[in-house]
Structure formats: structure tokens, C-alpha cells
Amino acid sequence: MEYEPLLRDMGIILVDINRIDRGKTVSVSIIIKAAEQEVSVDHCAQVYRLVYPRMELQLGERDLQLEVSTPGLQRTLKDVYEFSLFRGKRVRLYDTSKEAWVSGIIETSDEHSVTLSHAYIEDTTEMQETQVVEFAVIQKAKLDYRWEDNSHGN
């Protein structure tokens, strides 16, 4: 993606970009994450000001609708790559091998699995310091923001 190096120089990580063509209108949604801090409205505005003129030139006569936003508190993780982006964040995933939701903090991930710390298996009292979950058994995964991180939903 041509925008990734430009954003990286600004300390911003491109999480996702979606484009929908509707006649003469092109709608683009860009999801960003700040590399070293929480993403702010200022980050979104900076990305908008950087990307909009470039996209507008590429589209010529077509109208551009551009939206730049954060991943959100409960973003659904779409692929293996996103687990590496959200290292240090709490995630809630459905583990088909356990037939249960597992909540934990993303410590590491590779192409095969994710390692969670402070892992909690919902509907049980089971808490593990670390748990490795193979991507093959993950049916769904979302960021899991908690006001008080030690509550584990209880």
C-alpha cells in the first residue's frame, strides 16, 4: 500500500483500508493506530490531510468520501496480521477446541498462534498466566476493552 510508508513516518500504523465504488462516488474508510500512544482525533486529522489530496488526484472526476478513524474499543480482528498490531491489548476470542470464549492480553503472535497472558476462560474459574491459542481454532476475535482490567467480566 502506497500510504503505509508515509503514515509510518508520522508514527501511525495502517490497520485497515476499505474502498467502495458507487457510481461517481468512491467511499474510503481508513482505520489507523498510533505506534507509541493511543490514537487521537489529531492523528485522524493529520492522516486525512495527508491522504485526501493524493486520493482525489487519483480519482480524477469522481467524488471522494474519506473517513479516518480508530480501530474502536471492540474491533473484530480480521486476520493474523492484526494480532501483531494489537500486542499488549486485551482480546476476547472464541476457541472452538474449548467451545468457550477466552479473554487475555496479547503477548506475542506468529503465523500459527497467539500467546495470551492473564488468560481467562469464560464460564469457568480457570485463569492461566499464559495460554497459546492456535489460529486454526479461533472462530472469532475482538478487542476487549475493560475499564478495570482485572475484572475479567465478573
Side-chain angles (χ1 to χ4, degrees):
M1 167 58 53
E2 66 184 278
Y3 300 108
E4 277 185 296
L6 297 171
L7 297 179
R8 194 177 323 114
D9 289 345
M10 296 169 57
I12 295 174
I13 299 166
L14 179 64
V15 175
D16 196 10
I17 187 166
N18 289 308
R19 175 180 166 156
I20 299 172
D21 291 88
R22 291 188 186 112
K24 289 191 170 221
T25 302
V26 176
S27 297
V28 178
S29 171
I30 297 176
I31 310 295
I32 61 168
K33 179 181 179 302
E36 301 295 325
Q37 61 196 25
E38 292 299 317
V39 68
S40 69
V41 174
D42 289 338
H43 291 115
C44 293
Q46 288 172 344
V47 171
Y48 185 93
R49 287 190 302 269
L50 174 77
V51 171
Y52 189 88
R54 287 172 169 77
M55 282 188 176
E56 199 172 43
L57 280 174
Q58 291 173 343
L59 295 175
E61 297 296 315
R62 299 179 76 191
D63 294 324
L64 173 62
Q65 294 178 340
L66 176 63
E67 176 185 310
V68 180
S69 64
T70 69
L73 297 177
Q74 295 186 331
R75 175 180 175 77
T76 298
L77 302 183
K78 295 182 179 181
D79 57 34
V80 173
Y81 166 70
E82 289 194 23
F83 282 89
S84 66
L85 290 180
F86 295 107
R87 186 171 175 249
K89 300 290 185 189
R90 179 165 293 283
V91 68
R92 183 173 181 250
L93 53 86
Y94 189 79
D95 183 337
T96 58
S97 68
K98 293 183 179 9
E99 296 183 348
W101 287 95
V102 178
S103 175
I105 297 170
I106 300 172
E107 288 298 315
T108 62
S109 67
D110 59 27
E111 63 273 2
H112 303 290
S113 64
V114 60
T115 301
L116 305 176
S117 65
H118 308 291
Y120 174 77
I121 300 170
E122 293 183 11
D123 298 328
T124 71
T125 57
E126 194 175 338
M127 172 84 112
Q128 296 180 347
E129 194 58 38
T130 61
Q131 174 152 357
V132 176
V133 182
E134 299 290 324
F135 288 124
V137 300
I138 298 176
Q139 183 174 352
K140 185 174 187 175
K142 297 179 105 174
L143 292 180
D144 187 22
Y145 182 81
R146 302 269 167 97
W147 288 105
E148 296 179 22
D149 199 55
N150 60 357
S151 69
H152 298 291
N154 291 336

